[in-house]
């Protein structure tokens, strides 16, 4: 059943990485795409840095979610960042998620995520580790040898600015997820 029919919206707050950096991630991760079998790869056009996953929220609380985000971003200012390296959660030896890290040297993204959490607590709180999800695995896999074989990755590590956060609605379906932007919040 469609979540709209149930009156619920699957929501998350995210920031984007510039196109130039995303192209470098796509090129740098290509050898891993060819090497790692059994991975569910995320399409590059879906890459984003999730600051807060709200889960399924009653549709009549959408304005409340937007107000929480607006209060959290007020006074934040743009965030300076850059790509770091390719890694995995929980580790390269037991990987469930392959990612590219996003630097947060001033903890601005982590602070923003924490402020949203304070406004919309749900008991699932955990520290933000800013990243783009490249692939997921159904079972833990050993990736250390494959990742080390291709390191150092030729990522565009030049600094970039993040100037807005976007509230998305996630539509799940057979063809994979589709993300619908609902509102943008300047930082």
């Amino acid at each position: 059943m469609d979540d709209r029919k149930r009156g619920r919206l699957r929501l998350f707050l995210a920031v984007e990485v510039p196109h130039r950096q995303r192209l470098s991630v796509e090129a740098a991760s290509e050898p891993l795409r060819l090497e790692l079998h059994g991975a569910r790869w995320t399409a590059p056009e879906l890459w984003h840095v999730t600051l807060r996953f709200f889960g399924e929220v009653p549709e009549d609380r959408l304005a409340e979610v937007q107000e929480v985000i607006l209060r959290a971003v007020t006074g934040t200012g743009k965030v300076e960042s850059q790509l770091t390296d390719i890694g995995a959660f929980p580790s390269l030896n037991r990987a469930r998620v392959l990612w590219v890290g996003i630097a947060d040297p001033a903890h601005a993204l982590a602070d923003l995520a924490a402020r949203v959490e304070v406004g919309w607590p749900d008991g699932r709180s955990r520290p933000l580790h800013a990243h783009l999800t490249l692939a997921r695995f159904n079972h833990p896999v050993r990736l250390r040898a494959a990742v080390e074989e291709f390191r150092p990755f030729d990522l565009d590590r030049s600094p970039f600015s993040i100037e807005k956060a976007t509230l998305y609605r996630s539509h799940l379906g057979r063809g994979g997820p589709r993300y619908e932007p609902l509102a943008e919040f300047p930082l």
Side-chain angles (χ1 to χ4, degrees):
M1 175 183 278
D2 180 88
D3 49 275
R4 170 83 63 182
K5 292 178 185 171
R6 294 185 312 213
R8 301 184 75 75
L9 305 173
R10 185 177 171 88
L11 302 175
F12 66 92
L13 181 66
V15 296
E16 302 296 322
V17 170
H19 184 70
R20 186 172 110 188
Q21 278 77 10
R22 290 166 31 152
L23 285 175
S24 82
V25 170
E26 191 171 5
S29 62
E30 185 61 27
L32 292 172
R33 284 180 180 272
L34 300 173
E35 180 80 16
L36 302 177
H37 307 288
R40 293 186 327 271
W41 292 92
T42 305
E45 62 271 13
L46 299 179
W47 288 341
H48 60 270
V49 179
T50 301
L51 298 178
R52 179 67 161 85
F53 179 69
F54 294 95
E56 296 216 2
V57 175
E59 192 169 4
D60 61 359
R61 294 190 71 193
L62 177 59
E64 186 181 343
V65 169
Q66 291 175 318
E67 183 59 35
V68 164
I69 296 168
L70 186 59
R71 280 194 309 266
V73 302
T74 299
T76 301
K78 69 181 180 180
V79 175
E80 298 301 321
S81 189
Q82 68 187 90
L83 300 176
T84 59
D85 200 4
I86 291 180
F89 294 132
S91 72
L92 286 172
N93 290 327
R94 295 178 16 88
R96 295 296 301 259
V97 175
L98 181 68
W99 49 257
V100 169
I102 307 297
D104 189 16
H107 306 286
L109 294 174
D111 291 346
L112 176 56
R115 285 194 303 277
V116 173
E117 172 67 28
V118 166
W120 194 273
D122 67 359
R124 293 183 288 182
S125 178
R126 60 181 162 225
L128 177 71
H129 182 278
H131 68 281
L132 303 176
T133 298
L134 300 180
R136 296 181 184 279
F137 301 90
N138 289 332
H139 305 287
V141 296
R142 293 184 177 275
L143 295 182
R144 183 166 303 283
V147 169
E148 294 301 333
E149 177 183 347
F150 298 109
R151 209 172 243 148
F153 293 97
D154 188 19
L155 298 167
D156 181 343
R157 290 179 166 83
S158 58
F160 58 86
S161 295
I162 298 170
E163 299 180 1
K164 69 178 179 178
T166 305
L167 178 64
Y168 287 95
R169 177 179 179 201
S170 176
H171 300 270
L172 303 179
R174 289 181 189 245
R178 183 175 56 84
Y179 303 143
E180 173 188 1
L182 297 180
E184 292 182 348
F185 301 87
L187 300 180

